Amino acid sequence: MRQTRPLRAFSLLVGVTCLLIPHVTLACAVCFGDPGDPISKGINLAIITLLSVTGVVLGGFGAFFVYLAGRTRHTSRKQSGPPVSGGKIKSS
């Protein structure tokens, strides 16, 4: 319960700051400015690049986990030989 007080105070501080300094809360050049502006084009390319990198990294994690699942399945089939009778290993 005590941890919510600093969070509320921080939220209140951010809200008051946004009200007192409205130019901070204006939209970026992509949303607010000219779409043909070089800055807007650069920001759009930066957004596409960041989304692409994120997608590649997440895809790599997904592929790795699929690989691990397949390897586990293959290893468990390979190690499960014929069942031993009575669960005991016969010595020779």
Side-chain angles (χ1 to χ4, degrees):
M1 187 135 198
R2 290 181 183 231
Q3 292 179 351
T4 59
R5 280 188 183 174
L7 183 61
R8 285 184 184 174
F10 179 72
S11 299
L12 181 65
L13 179 67
V14 169
V16 169
T17 303
C18 288
L19 289 174
L20 294 177
I21 309 172
H23 70 276
V24 172
T25 58
L26 291 177
C28 64
V30 175
C31 303
F32 191 66
D34 180 25
D37 193 34
I39 293 175
S40 296
K41 289 180 182 179
I43 291 173
N44 283 335
L45 287 175
I47 291 169
I48 291 170
T49 303
L50 289 173
L51 287 174
S52 300
V53 168
T54 303
V56 167
V57 169
L58 289 176
F61 276 116
F64 178 67
F65 285 119
V66 168
Y67 167 76
L68 285 180
R71 185 174 172 147
T72 302
R73 193 176 317 121
H74 176 71
T75 304
S76 65
R77 285 183 189 162
K78 193 175 183 182
Q79 288 180 353
S80 63
V84 179
S85 61
K88 297 180 182 177
I89 301 175
K90 295 179 181 178
S91 60
S92 47

